[in-house]
């Protein structure tokens, strides 16, 4: 024999379909409350995520460059300490402006001056755009060019460029050293518009040493002095690991007496948009939940009062208190589940329409999307609210006395 609660649940199911018009009204009411909330949440997720992705796609957003403090430069010890700072993804020293300029000769004979930047493994500008790391050795110098520099030089990946660097000798004369670099990669236009060449730190140090009259074995050039025991750099180039790491790193550098230039304002603007939208949607969601709870509670109460005789008859034929409680809760859960599924279907249609309307602006990427885990959480929360809202009516129904039903009959 089936347990009484299963018989009660089956009767509730059959009764729900018996009053189909009222039941459908409940499903539509729930879907009309839940669907707008899902759409708002989907647009919030899509738009904010799109903004964050567009920022994260540009490594320049995460860059930190000093423009005040440490006037004497940055020693290697400080750079090593900097690389250990929490939230820092990459950091490397930069040569002084004069030493970081390099004159390149194009195929048509024209000369161009570009800026040299040191790079190393983990450099976001190369890593994020999948460019190989240049590694130079005596007689085999390598560099990665920016898009604009490669276009001016009319050179592609695998090509070579010629350069020359000059220095003043002790007797006052100038000497010029010709160099040839293999172009191991070309950065895309979105990586920046400056005429820049990226070389390993050893190459940048060697070029600076040659100009200072120091031996530069990597360039196969001798000077009047030996390399210094330790180096210091005019500046540095550092990158945060994520958008959230930029403000703490800015504070960390300030504690070291260094003011850094960041895109913290742009990042903070995105966070404010995210917080504002989340707050608005949260308030609307609370209002929707209150409305849904009140609707389900009133519906369950009305059903219990309308069917008190039937409830009493069920108790009269032997159904216990627990089986009676199951009856209204089962009907509320059925309404909630179907209303939730209908809201999900409405959301899917509207999300598809929104993404279709903005496909040309977004390149076909979705701007209204919700994660599967959020769907599951929403479904669970709706069922929980339905259970709680009908519980009081269920307890009242279970308290109906069979004797009252006999007297009424």
């Amino acid at each position: 024999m089936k347990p009484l609660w299963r018989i009660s649940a089956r009767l509730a199911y059959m009764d729900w379909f018996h009053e189909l018009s009222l039941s459908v009204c409940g499903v539509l009411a729930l879907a009309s409350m839940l669907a707008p909330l899902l759409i708002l949440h989907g647009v919030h997720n899509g738009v904010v995520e799109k903004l964050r992705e567009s920022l994260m796609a540009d490594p320049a957003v995460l860059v930190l460059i000093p423009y005040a403090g440490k006037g004497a430069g940055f020693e290697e010890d400080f750079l090593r300490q900097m690389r250990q700072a929490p939230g820092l993804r990459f950091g490397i020293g930069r040569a002084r402006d004069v030493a970081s300029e390099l004159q390149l000769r194009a195929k048509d004979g024209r000369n161009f001056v570009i800026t040299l930047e040191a790079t190393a493994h983990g450099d976001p500008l190369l890593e994020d755009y999948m460019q190989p790391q240049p590694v130079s050795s005596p007689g085999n110098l390598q560099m990665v060019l920016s898009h604009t520099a490669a276009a001016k030089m009319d050179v592609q990946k695998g090509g070579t460029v010629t350069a020359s660097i000059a220095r003043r000798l002790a007797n006052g004369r100038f000497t010029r050293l010709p160099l040839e670099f293999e172009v191991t990669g070309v950065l895309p236009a979105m990586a920046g518009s400056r005429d820049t060449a990226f070389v390993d730190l050893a190459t940048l140090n060697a070029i600076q040493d040659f100009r200072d009259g120091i031996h530069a074995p990597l360039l196969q050039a001798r000077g009047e002095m030996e390399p210094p025991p330790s180096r210091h750099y005019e500046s540095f180039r550092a990158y945060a690991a994520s958008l959230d790491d930029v403000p703490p790193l800015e504070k960390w550098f300030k504690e070291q007496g260094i003011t850094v230039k960041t895109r913290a304002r742009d990042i903070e603007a995105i966070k404010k948009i995210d917080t504002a939208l989340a707050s608005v949607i949260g308030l609307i969601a609370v209002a929707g939940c209150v409305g849904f709870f009140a609707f389900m509670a009133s519906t369950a109460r009305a059903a219990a009062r309308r069917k008190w005789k039937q409830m009493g008859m069920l108790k009269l034929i032997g159904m216990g208190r627990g089986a009676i409680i199951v009856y209204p809760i089962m009907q509320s859960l059925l309404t909630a589940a179907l209303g939730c599924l209908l809201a999900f279907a409405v959301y899917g249609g509207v999300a598809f329409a929104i993404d279709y309307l903005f496909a040309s602006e977004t390149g076909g990427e979705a701007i209204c999307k919700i994660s599967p885990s959020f769907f599951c959480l929403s479904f669970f929360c709706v069922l929980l609210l339905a259970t709680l809202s009908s519980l009081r009516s269920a307890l009242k129904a279970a308290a109906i006395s069979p004797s009252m039903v006999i007297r009424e009959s």
Side-chain angles (χ1 to χ4, degrees):
M1 187 175 180
K2 292 182 179 179
L4 292 179
W5 70 267
R6 290 183 63 181
I7 296 174
S8 178
R10 179 171 175 79
L11 288 173
Y13 171 81
M14 294 172 67
D15 186 43
W16 191 91
F17 276 97
H18 179 70
E19 296 182 328
L20 190 59
S21 57
L22 289 176
S23 301
V24 169
C25 289
V27 170
L28 293 176
L30 172 57
S32 66
M33 296 178 196
L34 184 58
L37 295 177
L38 292 172
I39 294 167
L40 283 172
H41 183 72
V43 171
H44 166 243
N45 272 358
V47 170
V48 173
E49 186 177 330
K50 184 71 178 174
L51 290 172
R52 288 178 68 90
E53 284 179 356
S54 63
L55 281 177
M56 287 295 291
D58 182 9
V61 175
L62 302 175
V63 73
L64 302 102
I65 298 177
Y67 62 86
K70 300 285 185 182
F74 301 90
E75 300 293 334
E76 287 182 328
D77 289 341
F78 172 79
L79 294 180
R80 279 192 290 269
Q81 178 189 356
M82 177 188 74
R83 294 187 190 103
Q84 302 302 317
L88 193 77
R89 175 181 175 183
F90 176 80
I92 197 167
R94 302 178 75 191
R96 60 183 185 271
D97 292 341
V98 175
S100 63
E101 291 183 351
L102 183 67
Q103 182 175 287
L104 300 181
R105 180 177 291 274
K107 294 178 180 179
D108 59 5
R110 290 182 300 166
N111 293 324
F112 295 97
V113 176
I114 63 170
T115 301
L116 289 175
E117 288 282 3
T119 184
H121 290 290
D123 189 340
L125 272 178
L126 273 63
E127 197 172 78
D128 290 359
Y129 295 112
M130 295 179 290
Q131 296 299 320
Q133 184 66 41
V135 180
S136 297
S137 59
N140 181 27
L141 303 178
Q142 297 180 348
M143 67 167 50
V144 173
L145 289 174
S146 65
H147 178 79
T148 54
K152 289 180 180 180
M153 297 294 298
D154 191 22
V155 66
Q156 298 178 350
K157 180 179 178 179
T160 59
V161 294
T162 57
S164 63
I165 51 178
R167 78 170 181 217
R168 184 189 292 272
L169 299 175
N171 58 13
R173 294 183 179 181
F174 280 93
T175 182
R176 188 170 291 274
L177 176 67
L179 300 173
E180 185 173 276
F181 288 87
E182 177 190 358
V183 179
T184 58
V186 176
L187 289 168
M190 65 181 69
S193 57
R194 294 178 58 197
D195 295 340
T196 310
F198 293 87
V199 296
D200 58 3
L201 188 60
T203 302
L204 185 67
N205 288 337
I207 291 174
Q208 181 171 331
D209 287 346
F210 175 82
R211 285 173 166 155
D212 292 340
I214 299 172
H215 295 314
L218 182 62
L219 305 182
Q220 300 175 329
R222 291 193 57 81
E224 292 82 16
M225 297 177 287
E226 292 294 330
S230 64
R231 294 184 178 274
H232 77 276
Y233 297 90
E234 186 76 14
S235 181
F236 60 80
R237 181 169 58 96
Y239 291 87
S242 68
L243 296 177
D244 295 330
D245 291 320
V246 173
L249 281 171
E250 191 174 12
K251 181 181 178 182
W252 184 87
F253 280 112
K254 190 173 183 180
E255 291 172 353
Q256 312 303 315
I258 304 167
T259 305
V260 292
K261 180 180 179 182
T262 68
R263 294 278 295 276
R265 287 186 178 181
D266 295 337
I267 297 169
E268 198 60 33
I270 297 297
K271 288 184 177 180
K272 286 182 179 178
I273 293 174
D274 189 10
T275 303
L277 286 175
S279 300
V280 171
I281 293 173
L283 290 173
I284 296 173
V286 169
C289 289
V290 171
F292 167 67
F293 187 89
F295 167 76
M296 293 299 294
S298 60
T299 302
R301 183 180 180 185
R305 295 186 65 178
R306 191 172 68 251
K307 300 175 184 178
W308 71 273
K309 286 187 179 181
Q310 290 89 329
M311 298 290 183
M313 289 298 294
L314 290 176
K315 291 192 72 175
L316 192 61
I317 62 175
M319 280 199 177
R321 181 181 176 87
I324 298 298
I325 290 175
V326 168
Y327 194 98
I329 291 179
M330 176 64 186
Q331 291 196 332
S332 293
L333 288 176
L334 192 56
T335 300
L338 292 177
C340 207
L341 293 176
L342 179 59
F344 291 164
V346 172
Y347 162 79
V350 174
F352 176 81
I354 291 173
D355 293 339
Y356 178 78
L357 290 174
F358 292 93
S360 57
E361 287 80 6
T362 62
E365 294 184 23
I367 61 169
C368 183
K369 51 186 175 181
I370 294 177
S371 65
S373 59
F374 186 83
F375 278 117
C376 295
L377 180 62
S378 301
F379 190 77
F380 173 78
C381 288
V382 169
L383 294 185
L384 180 61
L385 280 176
T387 302
L388 294 175
S389 63
S390 60
L391 187 59
R392 185 168 180 269
S393 298
L395 293 173
K396 279 194 171 184
I400 295 174
S401 173
S403 61
M404 293 179 61
V405 178
I406 295 173
R407 285 198 300 268
E408 286 292 331
S409 302

